[in-house]
Amino acid sequence: PCPFHADRPATFVLVHLQRLLVQEARAYQFMPHDGLDFCHAVMAAAYGSVITLDKHWKRRVEILPCSDQLARTYYRPELDHLVSTLESLISS
């Protein structure tokens, strides 16, 4: 594992998501667009503040070490909470 550095957050997310995928290799069957989802998860989690991902990618990002220093992640059933979060950002 690599430590989190604020000046290289994408490296941190990339390395740790790759490690998770290797650990899950026997329990998870990759889908056709997982490569694109992987890239989206890395860039969005590393540089975003509020992001949306599929359920599986949200779970993976949230179990990364130092996930509190990454983007706040939502998925489909949490859209109302996402809207509330965005509204609170506007009012502050």
Side-chain angles (χ1 to χ4, degrees):
C2 70
F4 180 82
H5 293 287
D7 57 331
R8 294 180 307 199
T11 300
F12 173 82
V13 176
L14 175 78
V15 168
H16 284 279
L17 280 180
Q18 285 176 334
R19 290 172 56 87
L20 275 174
L21 291 175
V22 169
Q23 291 172 350
E24 294 178 352
R26 291 186 183 189
Y28 181 77
Q29 183 172 354
F30 287 93
M31 304 305 284
H33 298 287
D34 275 345
L36 292 172
D37 290 342
F38 175 79
C39 294
H40 175 225
V42 169
M43 297 305 290
Y47 297 109
S49 53
V50 177
I51 64 172
T52 59
L53 296 172
D54 291 342
K55 181 179 180 178
H56 301 293
W57 291 100
K58 173 188 171 19
R59 178 189 57 79
R60 290 178 181 126
V61 167
E62 288 186 337
I63 62 174
L64 295 179
C66 303
S67 63
D68 59 326
Q69 296 179 356
L70 302 173
R72 174 69 175 106
T73 308
Y74 297 90
Y75 78 112
R76 185 181 302 251
E78 300 173 325
L79 290 180
D80 289 336
H81 192 254
L82 168 64
V83 170
S84 298
T85 301
L86 293 173
E87 289 172 342
S88 72
L89 293 173
I90 292 171
S91 64
S92 52

Tab-separated table of all heavy atoms in Angstrom, residues 1 5 16 26-27 34 39 43 58 64 71 76 85 90:
chain	number	residue	atom	x	y	z
A	1	PRO	N	0.828	-1.210	0.000
A	1	PRO	CA	0.000	0.000	0.000
A	1	PRO	C	0.861	1.258	0.000
A	1	PRO	O	1.982	1.233	0.483
A	1	PRO	CB	-0.815	-0.119	1.275
A	1	PRO	CG	-0.104	-1.125	2.115
A	1	PRO	CD	0.700	-1.989	1.196
A	5	HIS	N	-1.013	11.143	0.050
A	5	HIS	CA	-0.349	12.444	-0.057
A	5	HIS	C	-1.323	13.383	-0.750
A	5	HIS	O	-1.819	13.064	-1.841
A	5	HIS	CB	0.938	12.360	-0.881
A	5	HIS	CG	2.014	11.558	-0.242
A	5	HIS	ND1	2.732	12.013	0.842
A	5	HIS	CD2	2.497	10.328	-0.521
A	5	HIS	CE1	3.610	11.102	1.202
A	5	HIS	NE2	3.479	10.059	0.394
A	16	HIS	N	-4.738	1.713	-4.389
A	16	HIS	CA	-5.595	0.996	-3.444
A	16	HIS	C	-6.793	0.339	-4.130
A	16	HIS	O	-7.218	-0.746	-3.714
A	16	HIS	CB	-6.008	1.915	-2.301
A	16	HIS	CG	-4.894	2.129	-1.331
A	16	HIS	ND1	-4.585	1.231	-0.343
A	16	HIS	CD2	-3.977	3.119	-1.229
A	16	HIS	CE1	-3.543	1.659	0.339
A	16	HIS	NE2	-3.155	2.805	-0.189
A	26	ARG	N	-11.598	-13.297	-7.259
A	26	ARG	CA	-12.332	-14.573	-7.288
A	26	ARG	C	-13.817	-14.398	-7.005
A	26	ARG	O	-14.626	-15.216	-7.419
A	26	ARG	CB	-11.738	-15.535	-6.278
A	26	ARG	CG	-10.366	-15.994	-6.665
A	26	ARG	CD	-9.864	-17.029	-5.736
A	26	ARG	NE	-8.506	-17.402	-6.106
A	26	ARG	CZ	-7.850	-18.393	-5.586
A	26	ARG	NH1	-8.415	-19.125	-4.646
A	26	ARG	NH2	-6.625	-18.673	-5.962
A	27	ALA	N	-14.176	-13.343	-6.307
A	27	ALA	CA	-15.567	-13.154	-5.904
A	27	ALA	C	-16.343	-12.237	-6.842
A	27	ALA	O	-17.553	-12.096	-6.701
A	27	ALA	CB	-15.611	-12.585	-4.484
A	34	ASP	N	-16.315	-1.918	-16.802
A	34	ASP	CA	-15.607	-1.726	-15.539
A	34	ASP	C	-14.305	-0.947	-15.701
A	34	ASP	O	-13.885	-0.260	-14.779
A	34	ASP	CB	-15.341	-3.062	-14.849
A	34	ASP	CG	-16.516	-3.521	-14.008
A	34	ASP	OD1	-17.416	-2.696	-13.728
A	34	ASP	OD2	-16.540	-4.702	-13.626
A	39	CYS	N	-11.611	4.072	-14.081
A	39	CYS	CA	-11.001	5.385	-14.337
A	39	CYS	C	-11.837	6.509	-13.736
A	39	CYS	O	-11.295	7.450	-13.136
A	39	CYS	CB	-10.817	5.605	-15.834
A	39	CYS	SG	-9.623	4.485	-16.581
A	43	MET	N	-10.393	9.120	-10.734
A	43	MET	CA	-10.310	10.568	-10.921
A	43	MET	C	-11.332	11.324	-10.067
A	43	MET	O	-11.008	12.341	-9.455
A	43	MET	CB	-10.492	10.926	-12.402
A	43	MET	CG	-9.401	10.357	-13.287
A	43	MET	SD	-7.733	10.815	-12.764
A	43	MET	CE	-7.730	12.542	-13.154
A	58	LYS	N	-18.825	2.665	-5.348
A	58	LYS	CA	-18.983	3.466	-4.130
A	58	LYS	C	-18.452	2.689	-2.933
A	58	LYS	O	-17.697	3.214	-2.119
A	58	LYS	CB	-20.460	3.808	-3.914
A	58	LYS	CG	-20.746	4.495	-2.575
A	58	LYS	CD	-22.233	4.605	-2.359
A	58	LYS	CE	-22.715	5.050	-1.035
A	58	LYS	NZ	-21.941	5.723	-0.108
A	64	LEU	N	-11.561	2.412	1.172
A	64	LEU	CA	-10.152	2.759	1.039
A	64	LEU	C	-9.657	3.401	2.336
A	64	LEU	O	-10.408	4.110	3.003
A	64	LEU	CB	-9.939	3.752	-0.112
A	64	LEU	CG	-10.250	3.277	-1.518
A	64	LEU	CD1	-10.007	4.406	-2.497
A	64	LEU	CD2	-9.420	2.064	-1.879
A	71	ALA	N	-13.429	12.280	-2.039
A	71	ALA	CA	-14.746	12.848	-2.329
A	71	ALA	C	-15.853	12.101	-1.594
A	71	ALA	O	-15.783	10.894	-1.395
A	71	ALA	CB	-15.002	12.796	-3.832
A	76	ARG	N	-27.312	5.730	-6.630
A	76	ARG	CA	-28.693	6.001	-7.019
A	76	ARG	C	-29.685	6.191	-5.862
A	76	ARG	O	-30.393	7.185	-5.829
A	76	ARG	CB	-29.191	4.920	-7.978
A	76	ARG	CG	-30.577	5.188	-8.517
A	76	ARG	CD	-31.023	4.094	-9.441
A	76	ARG	NE	-30.091	3.937	-10.539
A	76	ARG	CZ	-30.352	4.274	-11.793
A	76	ARG	NH1	-31.515	4.755	-12.105
A	76	ARG	NH2	-29.446	4.111	-12.731
A	85	THR	N	-27.111	17.810	0.097
A	85	THR	CA	-25.712	18.200	0.283
A	85	THR	C	-25.353	19.352	-0.658
A	85	THR	O	-24.730	20.328	-0.231
A	85	THR	CB	-24.768	16.999	0.032
A	85	THR	OG1	-25.105	15.956	0.937
A	85	THR	CG2	-23.316	17.395	0.179
A	90	ILE	N	-24.538	25.490	-1.444
A	90	ILE	CA	-24.925	26.773	-2.034
A	90	ILE	C	-25.218	27.800	-0.944
A	90	ILE	O	-24.818	28.952	-1.045
A	90	ILE	CB	-26.162	26.599	-2.949
A	90	ILE	CG1	-25.779	25.789	-4.168
A	90	ILE	CG2	-26.738	27.941	-3.361
A	90	ILE	CD1	-26.946	25.363	-5.023
